[in-house]
Amino acid sequence: LHYAITAKGTLDLTRIYQVFAIDQYSVKGKLGVDLVAKGNQADALAGRYASLANSGRIEFDQLELYTKEYPAPFLIPSGTISFNQDKAWLKNTLLQYQQNTFNLNGYAQNFIGYAPLDQVLLGNLQVSSKKIVVDDFMAFAGSDSSTPAAASGVVLLPTNLNLQLNAKVDAVQYGSTVLNNFAGQLVLNKGQLQLTDTKFQVAGGTFNLAASYAPLNPQSANFSFTVKADSFDVKRAYKEIPLFREMASAAGKAAGRISLNYSLDGRLNDQMAPVMPSIKGAGELTLADVQVSGLKLFSAVSKATGKDSLNKPNLKAVVLKSSIKNNLITLQRTKMRIFG
């Protein structure tokens, strides 16, 4: 592909799109253009950047983009893309989507092949936000009343992007769970999301997460993750993390600090909730310093031994190893010392 483009002036995308509309897409707003682009796509792909002559900028003015993958439009109120050879640079550009506002810094590559030929857009971006509401991105979120309320759909991801993202978000709301001070490396590639070296805070503890997410269709997605956390509040985790509450129901009878090292994979339904029979995994739950009250296990031991004190034991440094498969949690034999 050889290209030679010179442009200067203002483009009214709202009027242009009325003539050159694409099904299931919509564009509104204006672009201020001052750029020169000349070269060969093969030179860009081969890294012969000295053979390219791409420079200039595009300024956004209330740009609104609607795509078939998302229920609401994306809005860029203002911002600038600067072109230099093979890269298009963003600097302090705001991207808004429903309740979410992102600040973007970084670059994209292969914009010549991406725009006219629908090739994969490469890039590396720094992304920051005060708050992200995951439910806003679900496939049917905010759609008309004919869609059943229970069918919100999974979060779909574009398949023609390969982006390295360095994310920093003050709060991520996922259903009723809020992850604070979220930071980590994300890779969005071929419609799938990988998270590495990711940290966040919840239930009074810091969690380290490595995860993957892959939507299968608007109603289903696969997920996997490994999570590690030292010394978080078991009572807060029971209240704040629905998956922990469902898989560790005995935690409702406990108070104190615990640690976690667990790996899980499975499937999400159209409400982005885990399908319990699909989950499998294994790991450890360590009771660092936990007071148990009203748990049937210890009530039975207390009654059988005639020792009332065993009904409300204090447990320290107890490691519970378990595995999950076919909707069953299997707990390995565990020894614990209570009152000597």
Side-chain angles (χ1 to χ4, degrees):
L1 173 66
H2 294 270
Y3 60 90
I5 302 170
T6 301
K8 188 171 185 178
T10 300
L11 297 177
D12 189 333
L13 296 180
T14 305
R15 293 185 177 182
I16 293 175
Y17 200 79
Q18 291 175 353
V19 179
F20 301 102
I22 301 175
D23 189 35
Q24 297 182 313
Y25 290 85
S26 177
V27 180
K28 296 180 181 179
K30 295 182 179 181
L31 297 180
V33 183
D34 185 2
L35 64 86
V36 174
K38 185 177 181 180
N40 187 323
Q41 184 191 15
D43 290 332
L45 294 176
R48 297 187 291 268
Y49 304 131
S51 301
L52 307 178
N54 303 326
S55 63
R57 67 182 188 276
I58 295 178
E59 297 179 349
F60 302 114
D61 183 7
Q62 297 299 316
L63 182 66
E64 185 178 294
L65 172 65
Y66 171 84
T67 74
K68 60 183 179 181
E69 290 88 1
Y70 298 95
F74 289 86
L75 176 65
I76 303 178
S78 62
T80 301
I81 296 181
S82 299
F83 294 88
N84 184 15
Q85 301 299 66
D86 66 314
K87 292 183 176 67
W89 291 88
L90 291 171
K91 185 176 181 180
N92 293 327
T93 299
L94 293 181
L95 175 65
Q96 297 175 352
Y97 182 82
Q98 298 202 86
Q99 305 174 67
N100 311 271
T101 299
F102 305 89
N103 186 282
L104 307 177
N105 288 276
Y107 67 85
Q109 288 178 287
N110 194 34
F111 52 88
I112 294 297
Y114 173 75
L117 302 178
D118 198 29
Q119 294 182 355
V120 174
L121 183 70
L122 310 174
N124 191 310
L125 293 174
Q126 306 288 322
V127 181
S128 61
S129 177
K130 292 291 185 183
K131 184 177 181 181
I132 294 178
V133 181
V134 175
D135 290 0
D136 285 350
F137 295 89
M138 294 165 70
F140 305 114
S143 48
D144 58 47
S145 58
S146 63
T147 302
S152 296
V154 301
V155 177
L156 299 176
L157 301 173
T159 58
N160 58 349
L161 298 179
N162 184 354
L163 301 179
Q164 312 286 323
L165 307 174
N166 187 350
K168 188 174 182 180
V169 184
D170 291 350
V172 177
Q173 183 175 335
Y174 175 51
S176 60
T177 302
V178 178
L179 312 179
N180 295 303
N181 300 318
F182 180 96
Q185 308 294 321
L186 291 76
V187 177
L188 175 59
N189 187 22
K190 297 181 180 179
Q192 300 185 19
L193 185 65
Q194 299 281 340
L195 288 78
T196 60
D197 194 25
T198 303
K199 294 183 179 181
F200 57 86
Q201 295 175 345
V202 66
T206 298
F207 288 68
N208 294 271
L209 177 71
S212 67
Y213 170 81
L216 303 174
N217 54 56
Q219 287 80 30
S220 181
N222 288 333
F223 76 92
S224 66
F225 67 78
T226 296
V227 62
K228 298 179 181 180
D230 292 327
S231 189
F232 61 95
D233 190 294
V234 62
K235 196 170 283 291
R236 284 187 58 183
Y238 185 82
K239 293 179 180 179
E240 298 175 18
I241 309 174
L243 182 61
F244 182 79
R245 184 165 60 245
E246 292 194 47
M247 301 186 69
S249 56
K253 307 291 185 180
R257 311 294 295 184
I258 66 176
S259 298
L260 181 68
N261 185 354
Y262 224 95
S263 297
L264 290 178
D265 63 73
R267 185 165 50 86
L268 300 174
N269 63 17
D270 59 7
Q271 298 177 64
M272 289 289 287
V275 178
M276 290 302 173
S278 75
I279 293 179
K280 57 184 179 180
E284 298 179 354
L285 183 69
T286 301
L287 311 182
D289 188 0
V290 172
Q291 181 76 46
V292 179
S293 178
L295 192 62
K296 289 183 180 181
L297 169 65
F298 293 106
S299 297
V301 174
S302 176
K303 183 177 180 180
T305 59
K307 295 182 180 294
D308 291 339
S309 59
L310 295 182
N311 193 33
K312 297 181 179 180
N314 181 260
L315 305 175
K316 294 184 178 181
V318 177
V319 180
L320 303 174
K321 297 182 179 181
S322 65
S323 59
I324 301 172
K325 191 176 181 180
N326 298 327
N327 219 24
L328 294 174
I329 298 178
T330 301
L331 182 66
Q332 295 183 19
R333 175 177 289 189
T334 304
K335 292 183 180 180
M336 57 190 74
R337 185 179 296 274
I338 303 173
F339 299 115

